[in-house]
Amino acid sequence: MISCYSRDDELSEEALHCLKQMQLSDQMIRVKMVPTSITFIALLSACAHTGQVEEGRRYFNRMINEFGIEPEAEHFSCMIDLLSRAGKLGEAKRLIETMPFTPGMAAWATLLGACRKHGKMELAEIAANELLQLEPTNATPYVVLANMYTDFGKWEDVARVRKLMRDRGIKKLPGCSWLELHNRVHVFVAEDNSHPMMKEIHDYLDWMVLKIKHAGYVPDLRFALVKGDETGEGEKETRLRHHSEKLAVAFGLLSTTDGAPIVVMKNLRICGDCHNAMKYISQISCRKITVRDANRFHCFERGNCSCGDYW
């Protein structure tokens, strides 16, 4: 139960409550219910997803001092995730460097992802270089670095990273979203107009963006990922509207009855602008919209996301 609750953002608090129930049962009926190593992985994960840094630290210390469990690589990974999400990137880096294991891809990738969210360019370069030493053909560190250089307007660095990718034959995995409707899977890729309903989808998105702008949505043009002096704001907004997850959700809204939930899958992490837009779309459309990206489920309903904007 603790493990299952920890995987659901809306129920992560229940994972922490379950441990208290275990201890209460032990006291009341004298059944020895001792948390295991796996129990603490789930608890630390729940703390990471709910931003409870101090609670996570307490569980980590209790695991060692109260229950005599030696932390394993997975426990350190959870702590790195917990600290990184909370913006404590220096502390996360020190933990990576001092833990009694050789840091793997997961540790540095977690730190790199958090660096983009919190805008820590110098630390991102360190994490990316560590990742490239471990796996030089992995596209992720190149892409994250290029995107961050774009955010900071460092176009020469963007060009350098892209050239390095070309020289090494490394290709970025294109963003792709899909949903199943009437026993058929509909796949969407940004700027791909092959779907037979694409004109209706684009028209619907144009109308929806006007509606959500009126409700307070402001497009985050950083996620258009184009050079500022090469394209106007109108073109950047158009590119944002054509992100694969927006196309898939728009098709779902057009093709289902009012009130029906929409479930979309994506092969990459949902972008920040799409995440913000989905909250407004769920509010305007009065629908529950679920996007399962490469990391987690995002359940949008009544203008909110199950992650609490903590992702």
Side-chain angles (χ1 to χ4, degrees), residues 193-241:
N193 294 316
S194 61
H195 195 279
M197 284 183 60
M198 195 53 73
K199 183 181 185 305
E200 293 95 321
I201 291 169
H202 285 166
D203 289 344
Y204 181 83
L205 280 172
D206 290 343
W207 172 80
M208 180 59 76
V209 167
L210 288 176
K211 296 282 286 183
I212 62 177
K213 276 185 174 180
H214 184 70
Y217 162 72
V218 178
D220 191 337
L221 301 181
R222 294 175 303 163
F223 292 96
L225 300 179
V226 290
K227 191 172 179 179
D229 57 3
E230 290 180 353
T231 358
E233 287 197 4
E235 174 62 22
K236 289 182 181 179
E237 283 198 34
T238 299
R239 293 200 183 191
L240 285 177
R241 283 201 296 277

Side-chain angles (χ1 to χ4, degrees), residues 22 47 95 108 112 122 140 236 248 265:
M22 285 176 67
C47 290
L95 185 58
W108 290 113
L112 178 60
E122 185 177 342
T140 299
K236 289 182 181 179
M265 310 291 284

Side-chain angles (χ1 to χ4, degrees), residues 48-97:
H49 284 172
T50 53
Q52 299 190 58
V53 177
E54 293 307 318
E55 190 80 355
R57 286 195 180 110
R58 280 195 292 272
Y59 280 127
F60 190 78
N61 291 329
R62 284 185 65 193
M63 177 182 70
I64 300 168
N65 301 325
E66 186 176 337
F67 296 98
I69 299 172
E70 284 298 316
E72 301 171 5
E74 290 87 349
H75 299 105
F76 281 100
S77 292
C78 289
M79 288 301 295
I80 292 163
D81 188 27
L82 172 67
L83 296 169
S84 297
R85 287 174 187 270
K88 299 181 181 297
L89 303 183
E91 190 175 346
K93 178 175 178 286
R94 287 192 296 275
L95 185 58
I96 292 173
E97 293 172 338

Side-chain angles (χ1 to χ4, degrees), residues 27-309:
Q27 293 167 7
M28 290 180 66
I29 61 177
R30 298 185 180 180
V31 175
K32 196 65 176 176
M33 301 174 70
V34 180
T36 67
S37 170
I38 295 172
T39 309
F40 281 99
I41 290 173
L43 289 168
L44 293 173
S45 177
C47 290
H49 284 172
T50 53
Q52 299 190 58
V53 177
E54 293 307 318
E55 190 80 355
R57 286 195 180 110
R58 280 195 292 272
Y59 280 127
F60 190 78
N61 291 329
R62 284 185 65 193
M63 177 182 70
I64 300 168
N65 301 325
E66 186 176 337
F67 296 98
I69 299 172
E70 284 298 316
E72 301 171 5
E74 290 87 349
H75 299 105
F76 281 100
S77 292
C78 289
M79 288 301 295
I80 292 163
D81 188 27
L82 172 67
L83 296 169
S84 297
R85 287 174 187 270
K88 299 181 181 297
L89 303 183
E91 190 175 346
K93 178 175 178 286
R94 287 192 296 275
L95 185 58
I96 292 173
E97 293 172 338
T98 58
M99 66 182 185
F101 304 96
T102 302
M105 289 286 296
W108 290 113
T110 298
L111 183 62
L112 178 60
C115 284
R116 179 162 195 213
K117 178 181 178 181
H118 296 285
K120 301 296 184 181
M121 189 73 249
E122 185 177 342
L123 189 52
E125 291 173 328
I126 293 172
N129 286 331
E130 293 288 346
L131 281 169
L132 291 176
Q133 290 182 34
L134 291 168
E135 196 173 328
T137 59
N138 187 334
T140 299
Y142 298 95
V143 172
V144 175
L145 267 187
N147 290 345
M148 288 191 70
Y149 286 138
T150 300
D151 294 344
F152 281 83
K154 297 185 173 184
W155 302 109
E156 290 184 3
D157 289 316
V158 174
R160 175 177 56 80
V161 172
R162 290 177 177 170
K163 182 179 183 303
L164 192 59
M165 291 181 71
R166 288 194 300 271
D167 292 346
R168 295 181 177 179
I170 297 167
K171 294 183 179 180
K172 175 186 176 182
L173 186 67
C176 171
S177 299
W178 63 94
L179 74 164
E180 184 177 346
L181 192 63
H182 307 311
N183 296 319
R184 181 184 170 190
V185 176
H186 297 261
V187 181
F188 297 88
V189 179
E191 307 300 333
D192 177 15
N193 294 316
S194 61
H195 195 279
M197 284 183 60
M198 195 53 73
K199 183 181 185 305
E200 293 95 321
I201 291 169
H202 285 166
D203 289 344
Y204 181 83
L205 280 172
D206 290 343
W207 172 80
M208 180 59 76
V209 167
L210 288 176
K211 296 282 286 183
I212 62 177
K213 276 185 174 180
H214 184 70
Y217 162 72
V218 178
D220 191 337
L221 301 181
R222 294 175 303 163
F223 292 96
L225 300 179
V226 290
K227 191 172 179 179
D229 57 3
E230 290 180 353
T231 358
E233 287 197 4
E235 174 62 22
K236 289 182 181 179
E237 283 198 34
T238 299
R239 293 200 183 191
L240 285 177
R241 283 201 296 277
H242 294 176
H243 280 191
S244 67
E245 54 266 59
K246 288 193 182 85
L247 297 174
V249 166
F251 169 73
L253 293 171
L254 281 168
S255 306
T256 56
T257 57
D258 288 346
I262 306 294
V263 180
V264 170
M265 310 291 284
K266 186 178 181 182
N267 65 332
L268 304 176
R269 193 176 187 224
I270 188 172
C271 92
D273 179 75
C274 287
H275 188 274
N276 189 35
M278 294 301 173
K279 291 192 295 181
Y280 285 99
I281 292 172
S282 72
Q283 183 177 15
I284 296 297
S285 65
C286 298
R287 302 278 198 108
K288 182 174 182 178
I289 301 170
T290 300
V291 178
R292 173 63 169 99
D293 71 4
N295 288 354
R296 66 200 299 181
F297 284 93
H298 293 272
C299 300
F300 303 94
E301 193 170 15
R302 299 186 184 91
N304 297 300
C305 180
S306 59
C307 74
D309 297 333

